């Protein structure tokens, strides 16, 4: 059976980390938590749950995740965030993979819980993620803070697994607004470093299209009140992100 390391990055995650660790205890042969110097009970909880706990300076989501996988005991890795957990169906799927690991990576859907409600539209589901992989075959890329695992060779094979990563995202709308502002700042700066350009009118076009796509085309209206709020905040984040890029470029 293939031995599996579960790698988790954290910062002040005392509210979520227990659920995350409990969900992987039956599939993990090694659990390592790489923490950005939390000041809450994250370290205490992780050690009580038997995870290896390592503190490391945070230089960005992509950089932190790439460094974190170097701390795993085994090359076959399941990567999770502290606010995520595995559904029972996904745990069964991963156990089957461990018995017969055939592919370079395995993807699965992520289902998000927003203020106590599961969100099935808004462009949030199905939210396919490549999180189970052979770490020798790829690395973390994307644009901070929206990281994604990328296999090095297009010939690398990825299989889709049944079951969901359960993402416990925001416990209040206010929390979402604050995170969106933070992510917009990070994204805008990251795009500036990559020499991305945007005109001032396109800022409004991109934000407007984001709302229309998510609320109407992605049927966010079917998620009710929270669907509207999610689509509105996501559009605002898009506006702030490109406004930051435009400002930096000037």
């Amino acid at each position: 059976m293939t031995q599996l390391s579960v790698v988790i990055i954290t910062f002040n995650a005392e509210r979520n980390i227990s659920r995350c660790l409990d969900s992987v205890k039956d599939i993990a042969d090694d659990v390592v938590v790489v923490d950005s110097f939390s000041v809450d009970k994250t370290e205490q909880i992780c050690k009580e749950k038997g995870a290896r706990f390592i503190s490391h300076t945070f230089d960005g989501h992509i950089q932190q995740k790439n460094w974190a996988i170097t701390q795993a005991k085994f090359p076959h890795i399941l990567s999770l965030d502290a606010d995520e957990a595995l559904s029972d169906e996904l745990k069964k799927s991963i156990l089957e993979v461990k018995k017969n690991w055939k592919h370079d990576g395995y993807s699965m859907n992520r289902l998000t819980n927003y203020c106590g409600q599961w969100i099935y539209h808004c462009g949030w589901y199905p939210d396919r993620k490549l999180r189970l992989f052979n770490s020798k075959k790829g690395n973390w890329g994307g644009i901070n803070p929206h990281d994604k695992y990328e296999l090095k060779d297009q010939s690398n094979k990825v299989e889709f697994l049944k079951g969901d990563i359960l993402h416990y995202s925001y416990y209040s709308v206010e929390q979402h607004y604050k995170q969106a502002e933070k992510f917009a700042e990070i994204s805008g700066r990251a795009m500036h470093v990559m020499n991305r350009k945007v005109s001032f009118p396109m800022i409004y076009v991109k934000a407007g299209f984001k709302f229309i796509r998510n609320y109407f085309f992605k049927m966010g209206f079917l998620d009710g009140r929270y669907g509207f709020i999610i689509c509105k905040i996501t559009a605002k984040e898009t506006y702030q992100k490109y406004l930051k890029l435009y400002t930096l470029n000037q």
Side-chain angles (χ1 to χ4, degrees):
M1 182 178 288
T2 301
Q3 292 184 298
L4 183 67
S5 287
V6 176
V7 179
I8 307 163
I9 66 169
T10 58
F11 177 68
N12 289 344
E14 64 179 10
R15 189 170 192 173
N16 294 305
I17 192 61
S18 289
R19 178 177 55 235
C20 180
L21 293 172
D22 288 344
S23 77
V24 302
K25 64 182 179 181
D26 294 329
I27 64 164
D29 303 289
D30 168 47
V31 179
V32 57
V33 174
V34 174
D35 181 80
S36 308
F37 299 96
S38 292
V39 295
D40 62 0
K41 296 180 180 178
T42 299
E43 180 175 3
Q44 176 187 333
I45 294 169
C46 290
K47 290 181 176 179
E48 288 175 352
K49 297 286 184 179
R52 289 189 294 120
F53 188 90
I54 303 171
S55 296
H56 185 259
T57 301
F58 185 85
D59 292 320
H61 291 80
I62 295 168
Q63 295 84 347
Q64 190 79 336
K65 287 191 174 182
N66 276 323
W67 189 86
I69 61 178
T70 68
Q71 305 305 301
K73 289 184 177 179
F74 308 113
H76 296 91
I77 287 174
L78 172 67
S79 177
L80 292 175
D81 293 334
D83 60 358
E84 296 173 338
L86 306 181
S87 70
D88 289 339
E89 185 177 21
L90 183 54
K91 281 189 276 188
K92 292 177 182 177
S93 296
I94 293 173
L95 284 173
E96 289 302 312
V97 171
K98 289 186 64 179
K99 293 176 183 176
N100 186 19
W101 190 291
K102 295 180 179 179
H103 302 287
D104 302 302
Y106 295 85
S107 63
M108 61 283 297
N109 287 332
R110 184 171 72 163
L111 176 62
T112 295
N113 188 289
Y114 186 90
C115 300
Q117 176 180 321
W118 295 108
I119 303 299
Y120 289 94
H121 306 92
C122 302
W124 280 20
Y125 189 83
D127 181 19
R128 188 167 293 191
K129 302 291 185 183
L130 175 57
R131 293 295 191 82
L132 183 64
F133 49 80
N134 182 341
S135 61
K136 296 179 180 179
K137 299 294 182 72
N139 50 45
W140 286 97
I143 300 176
N144 278 322
H146 302 293
D147 50 68
K148 61 179 179 179
Y149 195 78
E150 300 173 332
L151 295 172
K152 296 176 183 177
D153 194 327
Q154 290 185 349
S155 65
N156 292 140
K157 295 181 179 179
V158 177
E159 183 178 89
F160 179 74
L161 298 182
K162 293 180 179 180
D164 294 320
I165 295 174
L166 304 177
H167 180 213
Y168 295 84
S169 61
Y170 302 107
Y171 292 92
S172 69
V173 174
E174 292 73 23
Q175 184 187 5
H176 188 188
Y177 270 113
K178 289 179 181 179
Q179 187 78 311
E181 290 177 3
K182 177 182 176 182
F183 278 7
E185 175 81 13
I186 295 171
S187 296
R189 291 187 178 279
M191 290 191 296
H192 176 65
V193 171
M194 297 171 66
N195 293 317
R196 297 276 291 273
K197 306 295 182 183
V198 67
S199 66
F200 191 74
M202 281 302 296
I203 298 172
Y204 292 92
V205 172
K206 287 179 178 292
F209 177 75
K210 178 72 76 170
F211 179 85
I212 292 170
R213 189 200 71 166
N214 289 344
Y215 193 68
F216 295 104
F217 297 155
K218 298 292 184 179
M219 297 186 289
F221 60 87
L222 293 178
D223 288 311
R225 172 175 173 265
Y226 284 138
F228 176 78
I229 291 171
I230 288 168
C231 294
K232 181 176 69 172
I233 296 176
T234 302
K236 183 178 180 181
E237 180 182 347
T238 299
Y239 169 81
Q240 292 174 325
K241 173 177 67 176
Y242 283 103
L243 180 62
K244 184 66 179 182
L245 173 62
Y246 178 83
T247 303
L248 290 171
N249 286 343
Q250 299 310 300

